[in-house]
Amino acid sequence: MKIGELAARSGLTAHTLRYYERIGLLPYADRNRSSHRDYDASILTWIGFLTRLKTTGMPIREMVRYAALRNDGPATETERREMLERHRARVRAHVDELQESLLVLDAKISGYAGADERMQAHDTEPSLRRKPAGARTTGAR
Amino acid sequence: MKIGELAARSGLTAHTLRYYERIGLLPYADRNRSSHRDYDASILTWIGFLTRLKTTGMPIREMVRYAALRNDGPATETERREMLERHRARVRAHVDELQESLLVLDAKISGYAGADERMQAHDTEPSLRRKPAGARTTGAR
DNA sequence: GCTTGACTTCGAGCGCGCTCGAACCCCTAG
DNA sequence: CTAGGGGTTCGAGCGCGCTCGAAGTCAAGC
């Protein structure tokens, strides 16, 4: 597979793929006689995993470190596992933080007037929200 | 309150606070006769909210837009609410994505050999994980 | 034989969100 | 009177993660 196809299949651009090779995220690709990169389909699995790491906010230099360890073979497995465990902990913490923020956002949104009508129209998730905060029937405003 | 104190209390640096004022995230602060900024404590609430938006990944230019609307008074409430609703949807989607990625991470981690011993030592969260996949009582190791 | 277009390397540039330093001003305490 | 420790404005610089363009090579199709 040439770089254009890999780009299409991986969702990255050819520029980015070359950049990733340059910095060590992707292994140096075999070149054909025209020095065009020739990829094996298995690279897609690795790129998929890298994309997960990226999605979850791992900095590139850490991904590079992980890639280097991977390249050094089974002896580095413990270290790799530990990296992923640390990363997982960070991601979990981040998720918690986001969920807390979602509550704040919910509160703020329901604090805006005129919400009710549009709630009917836009709200895709009617549960758990209509909590009229006591007997204060919003007579006047 | 002067900028140094606000910095200490808000967790931002004085440099950042000035930067935020410059770009319109923070209202132009009153100056005392020495042209030092003099903040009211209420600004902390606003900064807190901005920090939430930042935490949840809202780009600064959007926060600036929100701040500008806020500054234009109650007439913009609908638009502000809509912004927050859109943002909330993005955040929710992102949380989902992270949770999916956590599963991948879990799988990858448990794929590494030698996990068991260290699990005992490092795992802070014993629930839900030790799923010994059948009756395999870990006799040997 | 020539055009087209996908590839190559290399280095510069960009958008984001700060971060920092220079040069200056003012207030207070010793 | 002086030293120190705030504060001010202004503009440049930085780290990140790409993104892009220039200039060249090569293979295939007309």
Side-chain angles (χ1 to χ4, degrees), chain B residues 22-103:
Chain B
R22 232 190 292 163
I23 65 174
L25 264 192
L26 295 181
Y28 185 83
D30 292 340
R31 310 297 207 257
N32 68 16
R33 60 213 161 303
S34 317
S35 48
H36 289 193
R37 289 168 182 80
D38 187 9
Y39 292 99
D40 186 294
S42 66
I43 195 77
L44 278 164
T45 307
W46 174 235
I47 294 177
F49 186 61
L50 287 178
T51 302
R52 286 289 177 189
L53 294 181
K54 184 170 79 177
T55 295
T56 51
M58 182 181 281
I60 277 203
R61 62 189 171 287
E62 246 173 85
M63 293 193 246
V64 168
R65 168 97 180 114
Y66 185 89
L69 288 173
R70 180 171 177 271
N71 208 47
D72 288 350
T76 65
E77 283 188 358
T78 298
E79 191 170 352
R80 279 183 267 158
R81 184 175 41 71
E82 285 167 357
M83 279 190 75
L84 294 186
E85 283 171 354
R86 281 192 297 274
H87 182 58
R88 179 174 60 181
R90 291 194 308 249
V91 176
R92 282 176 178 161
H94 188 213
V95 167
D96 289 349
E97 194 177 51
L98 290 180
Q99 271 163 347
E100 231 189 280
S101 296
L102 277 174
L103 296 180

Side-chain angles (χ1 to χ4, degrees), chain A residues 3 10 12 24 34 53 60 65 78-79 85 103 112-113 116 130 137:
Chain A
I3 201 170
S10 67
L12 300 174
S34 319
L53 295 181
I60 277 202
R65 168 98 180 114
T78 298
E79 191 170 351
E85 283 170 353
L103 297 181
Y112 279 116
D116 280 326
R130 210 84 66 254
T137 324

Side-chain angles (χ1 to χ4, degrees), chain A residues 49-68:
Chain A
F49 186 61
L50 288 178
T51 301
R52 286 288 177 189
L53 295 181
K54 185 170 79 176
T55 294
T56 51
M58 181 182 282
I60 277 202
R61 62 188 171 288
E62 246 173 87
M63 292 194 245
V64 168
R65 168 98 180 114
Y66 185 88

Side-chain angles (χ1 to χ4, degrees), chain A residues 6 10 12 17 20-21 24-28 39-54 58 60 62-71 80 84, chain B residues 108 112:
Chain A
L6 182 58
S10 67
L12 300 174
L17 289 169
Y20 279 3
E21 180 182 302
L25 264 191
L26 294 181
Y28 185 85
Y39 293 99
D40 186 294
S42 65
I43 195 76
L44 277 164
T45 308
W46 174 235
I47 293 177
F49 186 61
L50 288 178
T51 301
R52 286 288 177 189
L53 295 181
K54 185 170 79 176
M58 181 182 282
I60 277 202
E62 246 173 87
M63 292 194 245
V64 168
R65 168 98 180 114
Y66 185 88
L69 290 172
R70 180 170 176 271
N71 209 47
R80 278 183 269 158
L84 294 188
Chain B
K108 189 81 180 178
Y112 279 116

